[in-house]
Amino acid sequence: MDGQLNALWVWTQTGIGANIPPPVFSVLSGIAALALLLVALAATRNMQRRPGWLQNLAEITYEFFDNLAVSVVGEHGRKYVPLAGTIFLFILFSNLMGLIPPGIAPTASLNTTIALALIVIVYVQYEGIRARGLGGYLKHFARWGEVPVLLSPLLFVIEIVSELAKPVSLSIRLYANMFGKEQVTMALITALAMPLFKATFIPLPIQFPVLLLGVLVAGVQAFVFSILTLIYLALATEHHEEHHGEHAHAH
Amino acid sequence: MEVGTGLYLMGLALAVGLGLPLAVIGAGLGQGRAVAGAMEGMARQPEMAGRIQTGMIIGLAFIESLVLFSFVIFFLLQGRLPTVSGQ
Amino acid sequence: MLQLYPYLPNLIGAAEGGKGGGLLELLGIDFNILIIQLVGFLVLLWFMTRYFWKPINAMLEARRQDINATYDKIEADRRAMEQLRTEYEARLAQIEAEARERIQQAVGEAQQLRDQIVADARRQADDIVARAQEQAKLESEKLRSELQTYVADLTLAATERLLREAMTDERHRRLVQEFIETAEVR
């Protein structure tokens, strides 16, 4: 117990996860994925017309993402439900893992979040090319026909940069939220709760408010990641340009 | 210790100490404005409350992510500070 | 001058040659782990799509169709019932009308019968009256003829008495007159 706490203490003090070897996060996210898969299989095994609570929960989740995808992307957004939903559930499970004492959230490592962001952004480009064709895809970057011709090259560069900023902001937002939560929790434990316990033998959970906040953050960040995925997909595949101002530069 | 290095370390300490609070001040004001606007919208149109709330949460996450960027920078810079133990 | 280089994070960790404190290493980014996480998530995505999202979608779709079918059936049943009801109502109205007509007919027949009976009775009464009148007439005629015969007899008798008593012409005449006056009875 003390050894583990010491390792975590070193981790919080030296920052950015260098002291917890990255493979640990890999194993942790594997556990999160397995837990998610088991719950998913339990929900869909032996499905009935009159659903039990778990099947009901799964159906509510599906309906929620179905409505979200249709309202954000449009009628052709239904096919993005599995991606957005899986991202949400995986991130939610990962984040919640950090709240169970021996665990650390796998999303508190940039390796995990960058992998997710890369998948999202590559898929967004793929869908963009598929929806508009390669020429249309490049024209969309240059805002061809929307702005004066001379401005197009400049906009092209700006759009490329903003497109590259998307995965960076996606991954760092999630990572920093979870990492920050872990840091504050560990700081409160090691700097306040532990000395108090050693001096007076009162196990006062000073970090508890942060854990409550952590539950909220876990849900909100998972939701933000998946809705941003949908918004990026909507921007890349929308057919009419007039809605553009609505979500433009959403990062 | 050279003077230049001392200056650099002083600047670094100031950046580590003040960078994140400054970002928090700005983001706090921004989030306050965003929530105020969203609440006003919800009060005026309670039937739109769900959509406004979704938008508000997304907006808050964007604002918050700016603080978190500076939080990451804070940790990068903090790792650059020399330890002071035993001197 | 300032030697800033050792303090600035190197953007590419590999350029320093491994454990050089590059940005990527400082951030704990390890490309091998990154690839593993990436592949791991793709596998998770595949499994979730195959065993979670698609079955639920199928389930919801099946239920939607089920509900649609049920509603359609209810609608059809309702329409059939409505039709049946209108039919019954029409038939009921028809039966009622028929009954009324029949009663009307019966009433008409009764009226007719009554009229006939009344007419018969009247005719019979008329007959009786007529016959009575005729009888009376006959009776009176018979009486008159009897009376006439009687008057003639009387006259004959009176004449005989007159002749027997030899009365004057004057007195004779007066007597005849008297007699006639008395005989003017009906």
Side-chain angles (χ1 to χ4, degrees), chain C residues 146-166:
Chain C
E146 274 176 13
L147 199 64
Q148 273 172 352
T149 320
Y150 182 62
V151 166
D153 286 355
L154 270 182
T155 312
L156 279 176
T159 315
E160 252 180 31
R161 204 178 291 169
L162 273 174
L163 285 174
R164 220 176 287 150
E165 289 179 13

Short mmCIF file of all heavy atoms in Angstrom, two decimals, chain C residues 146-166:
data_model
loop_
_atom_site.label_atom_id
_atom_site.label_comp_id
_atom_site.label_asym_id
_atom_site.label_seq_id
_atom_site.Cartn_x
_atom_site.Cartn_y
_atom_site.Cartn_z
N GLU C 146 -160.08 0.30 -48.40
CA GLU C 146 -161.10 -0.26 -47.51
C GLU C 146 -162.10 0.81 -47.17
O GLU C 146 -163.32 0.58 -47.18
CB GLU C 146 -160.46 -0.81 -46.22
CG GLU C 146 -159.97 -2.24 -46.33
CD GLU C 146 -159.26 -2.71 -45.09
OE1 GLU C 146 -159.36 -2.02 -44.03
OE2 GLU C 146 -158.54 -3.74 -45.15
N LEU C 147 -161.50 2.01 -46.87
CA LEU C 147 -162.37 3.15 -46.52
C LEU C 147 -163.30 3.50 -47.68
O LEU C 147 -164.54 3.75 -47.50
CB LEU C 147 -161.49 4.34 -46.16
CG LEU C 147 -162.16 5.44 -45.36
CD1 LEU C 147 -162.58 4.88 -44.00
CD2 LEU C 147 -161.25 6.62 -45.19
N GLN C 148 -162.73 3.49 -48.85
CA GLN C 148 -163.53 3.83 -50.03
C GLN C 148 -164.68 2.83 -50.16
O GLN C 148 -165.84 3.21 -50.41
CB GLN C 148 -162.66 3.82 -51.28
CG GLN C 148 -161.99 5.17 -51.49
CD GLN C 148 -160.94 5.16 -52.63
OE1 GLN C 148 -160.65 4.07 -53.14
NE2 GLN C 148 -160.50 6.31 -53.02
N THR C 149 -164.29 1.56 -50.01
CA THR C 149 -165.32 0.54 -50.10
C THR C 149 -166.38 0.79 -49.07
O THR C 149 -167.60 0.73 -49.36
CB THR C 149 -164.72 -0.87 -49.85
OG1 THR C 149 -163.47 -0.96 -50.46
CG2 THR C 149 -165.64 -1.97 -50.31
N TYR C 150 -165.87 1.13 -47.88
CA TYR C 150 -166.78 1.39 -46.77
C TYR C 150 -167.67 2.58 -47.08
O TYR C 150 -168.91 2.56 -46.88
CB TYR C 150 -165.94 1.57 -45.52
CG TYR C 150 -166.69 1.81 -44.27
CD1 TYR C 150 -167.61 0.78 -43.81
CD2 TYR C 150 -166.61 2.99 -43.57
CE1 TYR C 150 -168.34 1.00 -42.66
CE2 TYR C 150 -167.34 3.18 -42.40
CZ TYR C 150 -168.19 2.19 -41.92
OH TYR C 150 -168.88 2.43 -40.78
N VAL C 151 -167.03 3.65 -47.62
CA VAL C 151 -167.76 4.88 -47.98
C VAL C 151 -168.84 4.55 -49.02
O VAL C 151 -170.01 4.99 -48.94
CB VAL C 151 -166.83 5.93 -48.50
CG1 VAL C 151 -167.57 7.07 -49.19
CG2 VAL C 151 -165.97 6.47 -47.35
N ALA C 152 -168.43 3.73 -49.99
CA ALA C 152 -169.39 3.38 -51.04
C ALA C 152 -170.56 2.61 -50.43
O ALA C 152 -171.74 2.91 -50.76
CB ALA C 152 -168.71 2.50 -52.10
N ASP C 153 -170.23 1.69 -49.52
CA ASP C 153 -171.27 0.94 -48.82
C ASP C 153 -172.18 1.86 -48.07
O ASP C 153 -173.44 1.76 -48.16
CB ASP C 153 -170.65 -0.08 -47.84
CG ASP C 153 -170.06 -1.28 -48.56
OD1 ASP C 153 -170.18 -1.38 -49.79
OD2 ASP C 153 -169.36 -2.10 -47.91
N LEU C 154 -171.51 2.82 -47.35
CA LEU C 154 -172.26 3.77 -46.55
C LEU C 154 -173.16 4.58 -47.45
O LEU C 154 -174.36 4.82 -47.15
CB LEU C 154 -171.31 4.66 -45.79
CG LEU C 154 -170.87 4.22 -44.39
CD1 LEU C 154 -169.98 5.23 -43.79
CD2 LEU C 154 -172.07 3.94 -43.49
N THR C 155 -172.56 5.03 -48.54
CA THR C 155 -173.31 5.84 -49.49
C THR C 155 -174.51 5.06 -49.97
O THR C 155 -175.65 5.60 -50.06
CB THR C 155 -172.44 6.20 -50.69
OG1 THR C 155 -171.21 6.67 -50.21
CG2 THR C 155 -173.09 7.29 -51.54
N LEU C 156 -174.26 3.80 -50.29
CA LEU C 156 -175.33 2.97 -50.75
C LEU C 156 -176.39 2.84 -49.67
O LEU C 156 -177.62 3.03 -49.96
CB LEU C 156 -174.82 1.57 -51.12
CG LEU C 156 -174.18 1.46 -52.52
CD1 LEU C 156 -173.62 0.10 -52.75
CD2 LEU C 156 -175.22 1.76 -53.60
N ALA C 157 -175.96 2.66 -48.49
CA ALA C 157 -176.93 2.52 -47.39
C ALA C 157 -177.70 3.77 -47.17
O ALA C 157 -178.97 3.74 -47.02
CB ALA C 157 -176.19 2.12 -46.12
N ALA C 158 -176.98 4.91 -47.22
CA ALA C 158 -177.62 6.20 -47.06
C ALA C 158 -178.60 6.46 -48.15
O ALA C 158 -179.73 6.94 -47.91
CB ALA C 158 -176.54 7.28 -47.04
N THR C 159 -178.26 6.13 -49.35
CA THR C 159 -179.10 6.33 -50.48
C THR C 159 -180.37 5.51 -50.29
O THR C 159 -181.49 6.00 -50.55
CB THR C 159 -178.40 5.88 -51.77
OG1 THR C 159 -177.09 6.38 -51.73
CG2 THR C 159 -179.09 6.42 -53.01
N GLU C 160 -180.11 4.28 -49.85
CA GLU C 160 -181.26 3.43 -49.62
C GLU C 160 -182.21 4.03 -48.61
O GLU C 160 -183.41 4.08 -48.84
CB GLU C 160 -180.78 2.08 -49.06
CG GLU C 160 -180.89 0.96 -50.01
CD GLU C 160 -180.41 -0.34 -49.39
OE1 GLU C 160 -180.54 -0.55 -48.14
OE2 GLU C 160 -179.82 -1.14 -50.12
N ARG C 161 -181.66 4.59 -47.48
CA ARG C 161 -182.49 5.20 -46.46
C ARG C 161 -183.19 6.40 -46.97
O ARG C 161 -184.36 6.62 -46.70
CB ARG C 161 -181.62 5.56 -45.26
CG ARG C 161 -182.45 5.65 -44.00
CD ARG C 161 -181.59 5.95 -42.85
NE ARG C 161 -180.73 4.87 -42.52
CZ ARG C 161 -179.68 5.00 -41.63
NH1 ARG C 161 -179.36 6.17 -41.07
NH2 ARG C 161 -178.92 3.99 -41.35
N LEU C 162 -182.50 7.19 -47.79
CA LEU C 162 -183.09 8.39 -48.37
C LEU C 162 -184.26 8.02 -49.23
O LEU C 162 -185.32 8.62 -49.19
CB LEU C 162 -182.07 9.14 -49.17
CG LEU C 162 -181.18 10.17 -48.44
CD1 LEU C 162 -180.18 10.70 -49.31
CD2 LEU C 162 -182.01 11.23 -47.77
N LEU C 163 -184.01 7.05 -50.02
CA LEU C 163 -185.06 6.66 -50.90
C LEU C 163 -186.22 6.15 -50.09
O LEU C 163 -187.36 6.38 -50.44
CB LEU C 163 -184.59 5.55 -51.82
CG LEU C 163 -183.64 6.01 -52.97
CD1 LEU C 163 -183.15 4.82 -53.68
CD2 LEU C 163 -184.33 6.96 -53.91
N ARG C 164 -185.93 5.52 -49.01
CA ARG C 164 -186.96 4.98 -48.22
C ARG C 164 -187.71 6.04 -47.48
O ARG C 164 -188.93 6.07 -47.40
CB ARG C 164 -186.40 3.99 -47.17
CG ARG C 164 -187.31 2.76 -47.02
CD ARG C 164 -186.65 1.81 -46.08
NE ARG C 164 -185.52 1.12 -46.64
CZ ARG C 164 -184.41 0.68 -45.89
NH1 ARG C 164 -184.29 0.93 -44.61
NH2 ARG C 164 -183.44 0.02 -46.45
N GLU C 165 -187.17 7.07 -47.04
CA GLU C 165 -187.80 8.10 -46.27
C GLU C 165 -188.40 9.16 -47.16
O GLU C 165 -189.07 10.07 -46.71
CB GLU C 165 -186.83 8.69 -45.27
CG GLU C 165 -186.51 7.79 -44.14
CD GLU C 165 -185.55 8.38 -43.18
OE1 GLU C 165 -185.28 9.58 -43.21
OE2 GLU C 165 -185.02 7.60 -42.37
N ALA C 166 -187.97 9.21 -48.52
CA ALA C 166 -188.49 10.16 -49.49
C ALA C 166 -188.27 11.57 -49.11
O ALA C 166 -189.19 12.37 -48.84
CB ALA C 166 -190.02 9.90 -49.75
#
